[in-house]
Amino acid sequence: MKDLFSVKGKVILITGASRGIGRFLAEGFRDLGAEVHGTGSKPESVEWMKSAGIVGHAADMRDPLAIGQVIQSVHAKTARIDVLINNAGIAGNTPAGGMKEEEISKIIETNYTGLFRSCQAYYKVQRKSGGNIINFASVLGMIGTPLASVYSGTKGAVISLTKALAIEWVNNGFRVNAICPGLIETDMTSMITDRPAIKEKVQGGIPMGRMGLPIDLMGGVVFLASDSSSYMTGQTIVIDGGMTAQ
Ligand SMILES: NC(=O)c1ccc[n+]([C@@H]2O[C@H](COP(=O)([O-])OP(=O)(O)OC[C@H]3O[C@@H](n4cnc5c(N)ncnc54)[C@H](OP(=O)(O)O)[C@@H]3O)[C@@H](O)[C@H]2O)c1
């Protein structure tokens, strides 16, 4: 039997590959033999990719045109983008009652509207040959927690959007699935990891007793990116150390 989980030679575009989970995935897929393209919000965010064997592109997810232009230009060079991983995202840490208009729109534009535009642009370039989209949602799109209201809303919306696009584009040969990470140690969760007492308390609430690391997500993402998940669409894989099983 061939290697079911092989991603060798696949062209993979990862948004938000400059830091955290996206960076880990970019380096991981490069090591597995994929041709990896990554984005960040600014040119300096993607500067490191040049020397790392990853093709970097600047595209702010809030810009109505930028991600579409990157997708078109990558496709023009490679003739195909086998997998689109919509990972770019931002969180909030503000009480719902005090959230200002600017913060509300920034989170929605980055996590939801930008992700939708990315899916749409990808559909346009791949509509004849089909494609594979992996969207990053969050367990906070499934369960409630304080100080994450708009963020949680965008992540719940990503789970719903994933199902809707999976059905709408199934006859065009597209698969659309989502990953729901639990709490993963990155810049996004530094307000927890920088404070040992808080981290200990948070970890006490996770059945596996620890926060996750980007590597904990890699197997699930490789599964979705590879042909091993070829009969799967519209689904969400939860990788959270048991958080949502309680
Ligand atoms: N960490 C967690 O516990 C956790 C849990 C559940 C879900 N997630 C989700 O996983 C994904 C990655 O999170 P992370 O923890 O790796 O976050 P991170 O370390 O803060 O990295 C975020 C990435 O997104 C990019 N990004 C942010 N705003 C952007 C914008 N407007 N335009 C383009 N790129 C932008 C950043 O690029 P620049 O630096 O260039 O702006 C960076 O590469 C997010 O969707 C997040 O919601 C994370």
Side-chain angles (χ1 to χ4, degrees):
M1 187 188 284
K2 66 168 187 157
D3 178 4
L4 273 178
F5 296 92
S6 174
V7 290
K8 201 167 181 191
K10 284 191 189 284
V11 179
I12 301 183
L13 174 60
I14 305 173
T15 69
S18 52
R19 291 183 284 117
I21 295 166
R23 179 171 177 149
F24 187 89
L25 296 178
E27 293 176 316
F29 279 115
R30 174 206 61 199
D31 293 350
L32 293 171
E35 176 180 330
V36 182
H37 294 253
T39 74
S41 66
K42 308 170 277 297
E44 56 270 30
S45 303
V46 296
E47 198 51 39
W48 69 272
M49 295 183 197
K50 270 187 204 154
S51 55
I54 292 155
V55 190
H57 310 264
D60 190 321
M61 296 305 283
R62 291 173 293 156
D63 180 324
L65 300 176
I67 188 64
Q69 286 164 348
V70 167
I71 287 174
Q72 273 174 16
S73 99
V74 172
H75 191 269
K77 285 198 191 93
T78 59
R80 67 179 212 280
I81 302 171
D82 299 298
V83 187
L84 168 67
I85 304 180
N86 283 312
N87 162 80
I90 51 167
N93 195 27
T94 311
M99 272 189 110
K100 301 268 188 312
E101 193 56 41
E102 194 189 347
E103 188 181 4
I104 299 168
S105 343
K106 194 173 170 187
I107 298 173
I108 295 175
E109 278 287 308
T110 308
N111 294 2
Y112 183 73
T113 318
L115 178 144
F116 176 75
R117 288 190 197 110
S118 175
C119 292
Q120 195 182 41
Y122 180 64
Y123 173 75
K124 285 182 184 162
V125 298
Q126 288 287 132
R127 71 197 309 165
K128 294 208 177 97
S129 46
N132 182 1
I133 299 175
I134 302 169
N135 290 326
F136 265 74
S138 165
V139 290
L140 298 188
M142 304 170 73
I143 57 171
T145 188
L147 306 180
S149 54
V150 174
Y151 176 79
S152 292
T154 61
K155 294 299 183 176
V158 168
I159 295 170
S160 300
L161 176 69
T162 297
K163 293 181 196 176
L165 295 181
I167 300 306
E168 186 165 331
W169 295 342
V170 72
N171 291 330
N172 300 83
F174 282 73
R175 298 194 298 115
V176 190
N177 291 291
I179 293 277
C180 257
L183 287 170
I184 308 298
E185 295 197 28
T186 65
D187 293 347
M188 187 175 276
T189 49
S190 60
M191 81 291 270
I192 300 170
T193 50
D194 288 351
R195 291 184 283 178
I198 304 273
K199 186 177 178 189
E200 199 181 326
K201 195 171 164 207
V202 164
Q203 298 202 127
I206 301 171
M208 284 195 180
R210 66 171 179 90
M211 289 177 67
L213 299 169
I215 195 171
D216 293 313
L217 306 175
M218 191 72 198
V221 184
V222 169
F223 169 62
L224 290 179
S226 69
D227 296 345
S228 52
S229 58
S230 59
Y231 192 51
M232 183 170 168
T233 197
Q235 304 304 314
T236 294
I237 298 183
V238 180
I239 304 173
D240 67 351
M243 257 177 96
T244 52
Q246 302 177 91

